[in-house]
Amino acid sequence: MKQKLFIIALLVLSTVVATAQEKKWKFNINGGGIINTGNISNIAVSQGAGADRNDSVLAFSANYKYIYGEQDHVMNNRELSSSLQFDLWQYSTISPFLAATDLINRFKGYDNKLSLLVGAKWRIYSVPSICDYSISAAYVSEFIDYYDDETGLSPNVQRLSLRAKIRQKIGSTTQLKHTTFYMPSFTDFMDDYIITSVTSLENNIYKNVFLGVQFSLEYRNLVPTGKEYLDTRTEITLRVNF
């Protein structure tokens, strides 16, 4: 696992460094503290980085985050998450996208969870420097290696993803973001679904330095035996853009 953590982090950081001189590319580093409840109830620290390229034809973003927590010198949380996304004609009313997310966290029951998405976004209303409101629909293929092989749950699930997203500037330095996903299984629409929600408030405190607070939740109505249905996370993060 340590090797995989290092390789993924190195790939993202290499992309960041290699493209930092190109005007269309931006990158960031971030870190902070986290309070978890649910399958993991603790206080942890996080570190991450990201790179993105914005263009009227093609937009690209890559991010990773590493989370670590311990109590009485015993590790009680370790997670690596990473994501890639490509948006075509991102400023159009309708724009297709491809995305992939990966999660490693045995404390949540996953040796590895990989999700591949293909879909389209419909921009309802947008003023680029002030706000952006959109909804999207996507096909999701979810591949899961459970930490406990006796879960009885399918390692591969095909899902529909419905998403609502809001970005709104408040005053001259603060920005509110909210995203909610509803992801039911195609084969068990009523009894196998995931709901995730992320709400963040971020303030530009100095030049390219941002301080933010974020609350997120994930509800899965099918989980391995002994696992909680609901996980929540509250984060305070300091981010520096370059």
Side-chain angles (χ1 to χ4, degrees), residues 4 12-13 23 37 53 61 99 112 131 194 222-223 232 241:
K4 190 169 185 178
V12 174
L13 289 174
K23 291 183 180 180
T37 67
R53 181 185 191 277
S61 65
N112 189 71
C131 64
I194 302 169
L222 284 183
V223 296
T232 71
N241 290 350

Side-chain angles (χ1 to χ4, degrees), residues 38-55:
N39 288 293
I40 303 169
S41 295
N42 66 5
I43 297 175
V45 294
S46 70
Q47 186 277 322
D52 62 88
R53 181 185 191 277
N54 288 307
D55 188 279

